[in-house]
Amino acid sequence: MDPVEGQEGPVTYRVEVEEPNGQRIDRYLADKLPLSRSQIAALIDAGHVRVAEQTPKKSYVPSEGDVIVVALPPPEPMRAVAEEIPIEVVFEDDGFLVVNKPAGMVVHPAPGHSRGTLVNALLHHVGRLSAVGGASRPGIVHRLDKDTSGLIIVAKNELIHRRLAGSLARREIVRRYLAACWGHLRDDTVRVEADLGRHQRDRKRMAVVPGARPAITEIERLERWKAADLLRVRLLTGRTHQIRVHLRHIGHPVVGDRQYGPGWERGLEGRWPGDLAKRVKRQFLHAAELAFPHPVSGQPLEFSAPLPGDLAEAAEWARRTS
């Protein structure tokens, strides 16, 4: 769903309901727009969502023929501080960058991480980023976990940010990861469709929650090691911790994942799993490939980043000993 947009200023989305699915309006819009359910709920509370010139409740269920208007307020001024931190820029033009983020770097400032983030580094590199993401997330089109390495897209201005967000919502941005999981998949290709939401008891974790936000992951085995598989994983949706939770859900958590698979290697036979675990100091997950149309020209773009040294060394050991 593309916004009705200009180069600067507020953005308005207009959603015509053609096939209602019985979901309440905040969840319905979260599936249609490049906004999270919590963002949409806050917009409803602030009176920025209208149906037939009325502000609906979050529990309102859209009907066929409804026209929903979502007016985003002007972006907040950016407050992140520029810092001279080395970064690997894979591509850059006037509108956006593709960066190969190292593991251990937080993407944007947050409580406890106000400095040393990718955003801080990029502000020093380019001077200004799109303010669409707000004061703490300027330019961020999609995120990577702190301990996930690899490719990430960052927008320099608001127009490009909105176009890239629209491409992401329409699944035009192909994101593929390399991951290692414990055990062996039953089949060489697996498609996981399992709704994701916050864990009921631990709100810092995600979990498979039927009726929450739809999530789809496609998995292909590249190599079969002694007690683990090397995978190529494609995200068809972009939920928080999606790959990690989906792999845990099917019984094959990511190697080195201290949150969703701690100690998993201890349940496998022999010394090999423990030896691999010692070599993998963080989750074995790397954003290896991006492909998408250029937001201005429409030209197909493709980018790739090889496994970083720590994961490459662990993979080579796994091949040699399997």
Side-chain angles (χ1 to χ4, degrees):
M1 180 64 62
D2 283 325
V4 179
E5 62 183 356
Q7 176 70 29
E8 303 289 346
V11 177
T12 298
Y13 291 95
R14 188 174 184 273
V15 181
E16 297 183 14
V17 180
E18 297 178 353
E19 297 181 3
N21 54 14
Q23 291 184 326
R24 47 189 278 168
I25 190 168
D26 54 349
R27 185 172 292 168
Y28 179 84
L29 289 175
D31 291 337
K32 299 291 184 183
L33 303 178
L35 300 168
S36 69
R37 185 177 172 186
S38 61
Q39 288 174 313
I40 291 167
L43 289 169
I44 293 173
D45 289 339
H48 295 301
V49 178
R50 309 282 284 180
V51 180
E53 301 303 321
Q54 301 292 322
T55 301
K57 295 182 178 180
K58 292 190 289 287
S59 59
Y60 175 75
V61 177
S63 301
E64 184 176 357
D66 278 352
V67 176
I68 307 171
V69 178
V70 182
L72 275 62
E76 301 174 23
M78 292 187 298
R79 292 189 292 270
V81 178
E83 294 183 80
E84 188 173 0
I85 302 170
I87 51 173
E88 181 184 346
V89 176
V90 176
F91 173 87
E92 180 177 2
D93 67 8
D94 292 340
F96 70 97
L97 311 92
V98 175
V99 178
N100 188 11
K101 185 189 83 69
M105 175 179 274
V106 175
V107 169
H108 60 78
H113 295 283
S114 61
R115 297 293 186 97
T117 74
L118 180 63
V119 163
N120 297 118
L122 286 169
L123 285 173
H124 180 270
H125 178 78
V126 302
R128 182 187 184 277
L129 298 172
S130 161
V132 168
S136 63
R137 295 175 52 184
I140 301 304
V141 177
H142 63 104
R143 288 181 291 176
L144 294 177
D145 296 338
K146 174 185 176 182
D147 289 328
T148 298
S149 54
L151 301 175
I152 184 170
I153 308 170
V154 184
K156 292 183 178 181
N157 64 63
E158 286 70 33
L159 178 61
I160 297 301
H161 196 148
R162 291 164 190 153
R163 289 183 177 178
L164 287 167
S167 292
L168 192 65
R170 294 188 298 270
R171 301 183 184 177
E172 295 173 351
I173 298 180
V174 176
R175 291 173 289 168
R176 292 191 179 94
Y177 292 68
L178 292 175
C181 73
W182 288 119
H184 300 302
L185 301 182
R186 186 177 61 181
D187 302 306
D188 287 337
T189 59
V190 178
R191 180 183 171 99
V192 182
E193 298 187 41
D195 300 345
L196 297 182
R198 290 287 171 185
H199 194 283
Q200 288 186 341
R201 293 184 300 276
D202 184 353
R203 305 303 289 177
K204 293 182 180 180
R205 298 177 62 193
M206 305 299 289
V208 170
V209 180
R213 303 191 71 187
I216 305 172
T217 306
E218 293 182 343
I219 304 165
E220 174 191 5
R221 175 164 45 213
L222 298 178
E223 299 179 18
R224 182 184 174 101
W225 299 338
K226 194 166 187 178
D229 285 342
L230 180 66
L231 312 173
R232 177 186 288 120
V233 183
R234 179 180 176 183
L235 287 177
L236 273 73
T237 54
R239 311 307 181 200
T240 301
H241 299 174
Q242 179 174 321
I243 293 174
R244 299 163 62 194
V245 177
H246 271 178
L247 282 172
R248 168 64 187 260
H249 177 63
I250 63 173
H252 300 283
V254 172
V255 172
D257 192 335
R258 273 61 175 174
Q259 191 168 22
Y260 296 104
W264 200 270
E265 68 278 4
R266 292 195 288 272
L268 302 173
E269 293 184 4
R271 294 180 52 185
W272 192 94
D275 290 342
L276 177 61
K278 292 175 183 177
R279 287 169 167 79
V280 180
K281 305 300 183 182
R282 48 100 171 183
Q283 59 208 29
F284 197 121
L285 188 59
H286 175 68
E289 300 175 45
L290 280 173
F292 56 94
H294 191 283
V296 176
S297 69
Q299 175 187 357
L301 301 175
E302 295 185 10
F303 305 100
S304 63
L307 282 175
D310 61 334
L311 300 186
E313 289 177 9
E316 180 55 35
W317 176 88
R319 294 185 192 103
R320 190 173 66 250
T321 57
S322 292

